[in-house]
Amino acid sequence: MVRATAIHKHFGALHVLKGVDLEVAERELVFVIGPSGSGKSTLLRCLNRLEEPSSGSVVVDGIDLLDPRTDINHARQRIGMVFQSFNLYPHMTALGNVTLALRKVAGRGRAEADAIGQAALARVGLADRAGHMPAQLSGGQQQRVAIARAIALEPRVMLFDEPTSALDPELVGSVLQVMRELRESGMTMVVVSHEMGFARAAADRVLFMDEGMIVEAGPPAQIFAAPAQERTRAFISQIKHH
């Protein structure tokens, strides 16, 4: 579903990604962990070209994202993205936020967009909040609206960048539950997060990144219990003590 090959990213003199290869199979949930500044978020943003890779290739669902002939806006509809901040429009209802891209980007009529949007809100457990403004919702509810907005476009893959790190601890579970259900419904997902319990329980593979490279990859049991690389071991033992 996702094949990124030899991705390099420079920000001026800073070499943030140093030849990263990443393959994600259909229906797979891949978790990316690593210290701050290791390049996790940059890698994620290169996968939908929010960040332009300095070199390398990115193919998602058979579409070469770096081909100049590719209609990037059309291609991006296949790649849902959920950020740390919810990025909702404060002056629009939950439903309005979810249906905006359906109407503007996917060209659906209002009635059809509303029906799809309502179904997406139901999937994240917020059917009864469609008419609420973001300010009337908790952080966890706002993040679930952001997930509904992404899945309403029926993406082939979902990218999550620290989706729970801005939430109060008691609201994290509701967002992880939605992600768990998405995974069970067959969504392909790449998740950058510090939620190690969720990684252990839900991930198919865990990638450990450090200094712009994937240092180690494997099933969660291996990465958390018996990492092969010294840097991975140091990182895992550090998290365990927090």
Side-chain angles (χ1 to χ4, degrees):
M1 185 59 72
V2 178
R3 178 177 283 127
T5 312
I7 300 293
H8 285 265
K9 178 64 185 177
H10 298 269
F11 291 105
L14 211 57
H15 197 178
V16 181
L17 296 176
K18 302 171 183 168
V20 174
D21 295 325
L22 169 67
E23 285 197 7
V24 184
E26 191 167 358
R27 303 175 77 97
E28 192 177 26
L29 195 169
V30 172
F31 224 87
V32 186
I33 63 172
S36 289
S38 56
K40 307 183 299 286
S41 295
T42 303
L43 175 61
L44 212 55
R45 294 167 73 94
C46 282
L47 296 182
N48 70 352
R49 259 186 67 192
L50 274 179
E51 244 13 298
E52 204 67 38
S54 305
S55 63
S57 78
V58 180
V59 178
V60 176
D61 195 21
I63 297 173
D64 181 348
L65 289 197
L66 302 181
D67 186 325
R69 293 165 304 193
T70 297
D71 175 350
I72 190 63
N73 290 328
H74 183 69
R76 274 207 193 111
Q77 289 179 49
R78 296 170 185 239
I79 311 167
M81 180 114 190
V82 177
F83 301 91
Q84 186 172 343
S85 53
F86 324 125
N87 301 327
L88 299 178
Y89 289 104
H91 61 286
M92 298 175 93
T93 62
L95 184 63
N97 271 283
V98 172
T99 58
L100 184 65
L102 280 168
R103 293 188 295 127
K104 297 279 186 268
V105 181
R108 306 294 181 103
R110 182 175 286 276
E112 190 190 6
D114 283 354
I116 295 169
Q118 197 62 58
L121 285 171
R123 272 186 82 180
V124 300
L126 293 174
D128 57 341
R129 296 288 194 275
H132 286 56
M133 296 304 208
Q136 299 170 297
L137 301 171
S138 72
Q141 289 169 332
Q142 290 185 58
Q143 188 60 294
R144 281 148 60 198
V145 171
I147 294 173
R149 174 179 61 189
I151 61 175
L153 287 166
E154 296 184 1
R156 301 283 286 140
V157 57
M158 285 281 286
L159 310 176
F160 291 88
D161 191 6
E162 303 278 9
T164 59
S165 61
L167 300 178
D168 294 332
E170 71 274 14
L171 303 174
V172 167
S174 67
V175 172
L176 295 181
Q177 183 54 36
V178 167
M179 292 171 69
R180 208 170 267 123
E181 286 162 13
L182 264 186
R183 179 194 191 285
E184 282 160 15
S185 72
M187 180 62 75
T188 306
M189 295 161 67
V190 184
V191 181
V192 168
S193 173
H194 295 294
E195 297 292 339
M196 298 302 156
F198 182 65
R200 278 194 189 86
D204 293 299
R205 268 190 307 147
V206 176
L207 310 181
F208 170 66
M209 281 187 77
D210 193 21
E211 297 181 353
M213 290 178 282
I214 295 173
V215 174
E216 186 168 356
Q222 177 202 318
I223 297 292
F224 290 117
Q229 301 294 327
E230 184 50 50
R231 278 193 283 178
T232 317
R233 274 200 291 275
F235 181 74
I236 298 294
S237 68
Q238 195 187 334
I239 317 167
K240 281 181 178 156
H241 296 143
H242 282 311

